[in-house]
Amino acid sequence: NLSEKLQRAFKNLRGQGTMTEENIQEALREIRVALLEADVNLNVVKDLIDHIREKAIGQEVMTALSPTEQVIKIVHDELVTLLGKDTARFQFASRPPTVILMAGLQGSGKTTTSGKLAAWLQKGGHRPMLVSVDVYRPAAREQLRVVAQSIKANIYQGDTKGEPAGTPLVERLAKEARREAVITGCDTLIVDTAGRLHIDSDLMDEMAKLKALLSPQEILFVADAMTGQDAVRSAEEFHRRLALTGIVLTKMDGDARGGAALSIRHVTGQPVKFIGMGEKPDAFEPFHPDRIVGRILG
Amino acid sequence: IALTREVDEAALEDLEMSLIASDIGVTTAAEIIERLRDRGKRQGIRNGAELKDLLREHLKQILDEQQRPVAKVAAPPEVIMMVGVNGTGKTTTSGKLAAWYRAQAKTVLMCAADTFRAAAIEQLEVWGERSGVEIVRTKQGGDPSAVLFDALQAAKSRHNDVLIVDTAGRLHTKNSLMAELDKMRRTTQRIIPDAPHEVLLVMDATTGQNGLQQARLFTESAGVTGIVLTKLDGTAKGGIAIAIARELKLPVRFVGVGEKIEDILPFDSGAFVDSLLG
Ligand SMILES: Nc1nc2c(ncn2[C@@H]2O[C@H](COP(=O)(O)OP(=O)(O)OP(=O)(O)O)[C@@H](O)[C@H]2O)c(=O)[nH]1
Ligand SMILES: Nc1nc2c(ncn2[C@@H]2O[C@H](COP(=O)(O)OP(=O)(O)OP(=O)(O)O)[C@@H](O)[C@H]2O)c(=O)[nH]1
Ligand SMILES: [Mg+2]
Ligand SMILES: [Mg+2]
């Protein structure tokens, strides 16, 4: 593990001394490898190593163990700072309904997370309404309907009236769902959208149109915890087009280290607000930065 | 001849960065670049373009070494099982493959063995309609091994050329779910001794280093014979497939390049490496 590797890297720095550029070089290399193996983006790792180097140089070494402990502490603090020290807050509207727009790549967990978010809001005393504007994926709207039923949440089904799958239909359903939420006294509206590539300009335009139509309080980027180096590219583009307000990291019940969290946070400046810990509606938790830092560092 | 000729270190570093950026893995990238440096020195190759060509050749070789012709099936049906973690594209790929085999004038049957996830059976049924292929299904929450049993018997009695089995997404860390997959494999073997003939691990091209562990554990429980790399129409390079080929000796069989029925291609290592190196 990283501690053992750092112990070896610091074998010349036992006892007393000061950390210098030279004597911490090997340790920095080990940290770089650990972060890359944890799927943190290459450029984010570069920045992190620079900050860590800066903080380490000049530090006094007190005991044989201390260089490793000191550096691990620097790394740990640097990652926690990057992720944002506190658990991020959920943004409610001053006048209901609060609209939450789900966004992300194909298969990341948006539909499942929409259900989890509804269940979480119910537990908090809210009355959420769900709507799926995924008119593209086979049985997508049926999937959300089944999820809503399982947690007894309101869902606006709407009628596609045989209209072709496309942005006009998406916008119509979204508009109708918002009206329905107001009519039925639902104070939150969760809009599940189709998975899409950040390089699909028509579908990214559709997301922008949905945002303009709904003025959501939350635009959540739902990302898979096992995403590798590409995480920054998709997150960056979704953020550029939509101004994300938060991130949900799904499938954290696996053993992916989750370095994508750092990468996405770094490139969007937005906090990870929740994590998905399973397939059931209750497998949903607010995000705690220090837990994922431990996981990323292995 | 001096073995210490200079190699363009800046070029090597650029190549190493692009390998890491492709998700091939930092250690794998370092080993490949080290080998490239040695070869470059021995062959007196100095410029970046030539080094890149050597690298392209080496990466292609790693992949090609695992390509092997699909074993001839003793008697129909050929049974193809789709496995993998959640959301990678198993159901969509099942539909695409069904159409692909039909285009080769094969008769195809599909089995909806994901009886757990909301609307999974309905989703595969749409693909059945799109590809003109019948689905053997059971009720929601039914036993996956039982519906698989029915599908195998049906495919045998109807003499279908191919049976495609779509399974539920599952994380490789969930022991009971991996045991369920093992049980499905053994059920298949009991009914058709050489089956499943293909166990395709469907992997998302955006997957990072966790992909190696997925491949290891799915091979243990389900006997993976090949990879389908999906969502290559995005910006992710899918370099993890090279790490998997190198370490686990698994070939890539197909790539998914979109959400439509025709968006599936047999694996082309040259095209894959060209796109990876950019
Ligand atoms: N283990 C686990 N599985 C999850 C989690 N979140 C979602 N899933 C599973 O991941 C798969 C994909 O989830 P979906 O909700 O369909 O993903 P999506 O983003 O809506 O997919 P598209 O609409 O096609 O883009 C399903 O099998 C889910 O059950 C999680 O936190 N843990
Ligand atoms: N762009 C793109 N999207 C794909 C590709 N393959 C699948 N998808 C999309 O990925 C999402 C998930 O596909 P599914 O087929 O439901 O994945 P799955 O592995 O069956 O998911 P679970 O059964 O929930 O584990 C859907 O939105 C698909 O349309 C591909 O090659 N390219
Ligand atoms: Mg969905
Ligand atoms: Mg599926």
Side-chain angles (χ1 to χ4, degrees):
Chain A
N1 65 36
L2 185 60
S3 284
E4 292 163 350
K5 294 200 180 123
L6 291 183
Q7 297 281 24
R8 275 203 304 276
F10 280 129
K11 58 182 181 293
N12 298 326
L13 203 60
R14 295 270 162 76
Q16 298 201 6
T18 309
M19 290 199 205
T20 67
E21 177 115 37
E22 294 77 40
N23 62 30
I24 65 169
Q25 229 189 78
E26 196 181 336
L28 290 180
R29 263 201 297 273
E30 291 293 352
I31 295 166
R32 176 178 176 272
V33 168
L35 292 174
L36 287 172
E37 285 181 337
D39 290 323
V40 182
N41 181 270
L42 196 48
N43 296 320
V44 176
V45 171
K46 211 177 254 128
D47 286 351
L48 283 171
I49 296 293
D50 287 343
H51 292 170
I52 292 164
R53 179 187 296 110
E54 234 175 276
K55 297 220 166 62
I57 289 177
Q59 281 212 4
E60 292 299 318
V61 174
M62 300 306 173
T63 72
L65 263 186
S66 73
T68 297
E69 288 173 353
Q70 280 165 270
V71 168
I72 294 253
K73 175 155 185 2
I74 292 171
V75 176
H76 184 273
D77 292 350
E78 193 62 26
L79 299 191
V80 170
T81 301
L82 169 55
L83 285 170
K85 295 207 190 65
D86 320 307
T87 302
R89 323 225 36 192
F90 189 84
Q91 193 60 39
F92 287 98
S94 47
R95 228 182 70 205
T98 293
V99 180
I100 303 127
L101 185 61
M102 310 297 281
L105 299 175
Q106 291 88 349
S108 63
K110 297 174 294 300
T111 303
T112 308
T113 303
S114 300
K116 291 176 178 183
L117 192 51
W120 181 78
L121 288 168
Q122 282 174 335
K123 280 204 205 88
H126 293 276
R127 222 172 109 74
M129 166 158 286
L130 286 159
V131 62
S132 167
V133 297
D134 183 353
V135 299
Y136 306 103
R137 167 175 156 155
R141 286 164 39 76
E142 173 65 7
Q143 184 186 357
L144 190 66
R145 193 195 65 71
V146 172
V147 169
Q149 186 173 51
S150 73
I151 58 169
K152 302 195 172 52
N154 293 292
I155 181 162
Y156 177 68
Q157 210 53 46
D159 180 359
T160 58
K161 295 186 170 59
E163 227 179 287
T167 301
L169 175 58
V170 167
E171 290 181 303
R172 174 165 75 73
L173 287 172
K175 243 189 236 119
E176 292 174 359
R178 192 178 193 292
R179 196 180 321 134
E180 185 72 6
V182 174
I183 291 170
T184 57
C186 288
D187 66 346
T188 44
L189 173 66
I190 300 164
V191 183
D192 182 24
T193 62
R196 66 203 63 217
L197 294 177
H198 49 294
I199 52 174
D200 186 327
S201 48
D202 289 341
L203 286 183
M204 290 305 284
D205 286 348
E206 179 180 276
M207 280 312 286
K209 291 196 177 109
L210 269 176
K211 171 179 180 172
L213 176 70
L214 295 167
S215 304
Q217 278 66 41
E218 288 279 3
I219 303 182
L220 298 178
F221 185 65
V222 180
D224 195 321
M226 63 184 180
T227 310
Q229 295 290 313
D230 198 57
V232 290
R233 245 175 309 202
S234 47
E236 189 165 39
E237 185 59 13
F238 271 83
H239 186 54
R240 188 183 75 78
R241 294 301 307 265
L242 301 174
L244 304 170
T245 62
I247 303 157
V248 181
L249 207 59
T250 63
K251 309 175 204 173
M252 284 284 281
D253 44 319
D255 59 0
R257 303 267 290 278
L262 281 176
S263 312
I264 297 172
R265 161 70 171 176
H266 189 265
V267 80
T268 64
Q270 299 310 307
V272 178
K273 295 203 170 179
F274 301 99
I275 58 172
M277 289 291 291
E279 298 192 69
K280 301 233 169 70
D282 59 359
F284 190 62
E285 303 168 9
F287 175 73
H288 293 296
D290 48 293
R291 280 176 54 193
I292 201 173
V293 169
R295 180 173 176 143
I296 289 173
L297 292 180
Chain B
I1 298 175
L3 291 177
T4 54
R5 290 180 195 186
E6 271 187 35
V7 166
D8 184 348
E9 280 301 325
L12 280 181
E13 191 168 324
D14 278 345
L15 291 174
E16 187 165 7
M17 295 296 121
S18 60
L19 287 184
I20 294 174
S22 79
D23 285 315
I24 208 169
V26 56
T27 307
T28 304
E31 288 171 4
I32 289 177
I33 293 297
E34 184 55 28
R35 190 175 179 286
L36 185 65
R37 178 181 289 105
D38 282 348
R39 224 181 130 190
K41 283 181 182 171
R42 275 182 287 117
Q43 294 183 218
I45 287 176
R46 298 208 195 129
N47 82 54
E50 283 182 297
L51 283 172
K52 193 171 178 179
D53 284 341
L54 264 190
L55 177 58
R56 180 178 286 117
E57 192 187 313
H58 182 208
L59 294 179
K60 189 169 184 304
Q61 179 188 18
I62 293 172
L63 293 165
D64 289 343
E65 275 175 6
Q66 306 313 328
Q67 296 299 351
R68 56 194 74 103
V70 188
K72 267 202 123 320
V73 175
E78 172 176 11
V79 181
I80 303 173
M81 236 171 115
M82 314 295 289
V83 303
V85 301
N86 308 71
T88 56
K90 298 174 292 298
T91 303
T92 305
T93 304
S94 300
K96 291 173 180 176
L97 269 182
W100 192 76
Y101 280 113
R102 278 211 68 206
Q104 300 179 358
K106 302 234 165 121
T107 64
V108 185
L109 188 65
M110 283 205 279
C111 175
D114 179 357
T115 56
F116 166 72
R117 207 211 67 210
I121 298 172
E122 286 81 349
Q123 183 187 2
L124 190 67
E125 286 187 318
V126 173
W127 284 106
E129 289 164 23
R130 288 178 178 181
S131 56
V133 168
E134 222 188 298
I135 312 275
V136 174
R137 54 160 296 174
T138 181
K139 62 177 171 20
Q140 186 75 15
D143 176 9
S145 288
V147 67
L148 175 57
F149 182 93
D150 291 345
L152 288 160
Q153 299 291 24
K156 268 174 74 177
S157 66
R158 300 178 203 185
H159 305 287
N160 288 115
D161 295 312
V162 183
L163 170 66
I164 297 172
V165 183
D166 182 26
T167 69
R170 67 202 68 218
L171 294 183
H172 49 287
T173 48
K174 311 246 159 124
N175 295 332
S176 58
L177 299 183
M178 296 306 278
E180 174 182 88
L181 210 51
D182 188 17
K183 177 177 175 208
M184 290 170 75
R185 169 172 52 161
R186 284 181 282 116
T187 299
T188 308
Q189 282 167 345
R190 279 207 313 275
I191 304 184
I192 300 175
D194 296 331
H197 305 89
E198 280 262 56
V199 177
L200 297 179
L201 176 62
V202 181
M203 291 194 65
D204 192 320
T206 63
T207 307
Q209 297 313 297
N210 196 247
L212 258 174
Q213 192 60 358
Q214 288 174 27
R216 273 188 209 111
L217 295 189
F218 272 92
T219 298
E220 251 176 63
S221 294
V224 172
T225 59
I227 310 277
V228 176
L229 202 55
T230 61
K231 309 179 199 172
L232 269 176
D233 46 317
T235 50
K237 302 296 185 185
I240 197 67
I242 296 180
I244 290 173
R246 207 163 163 266
E247 204 174 310
L248 302 173
K249 315 285 179 230
L250 287 171
V252 180
R253 286 266 184 248
F254 296 95
V255 295
V257 292
E259 303 188 70
K260 302 198 295 305
I261 200 163
E262 63 265 25
D263 294 332
I264 185 165
L265 298 168
F267 185 59
D268 176 342
S269 62
F272 178 78
V273 173
D274 285 342
S275 155
L276 190 144
L277 289 179

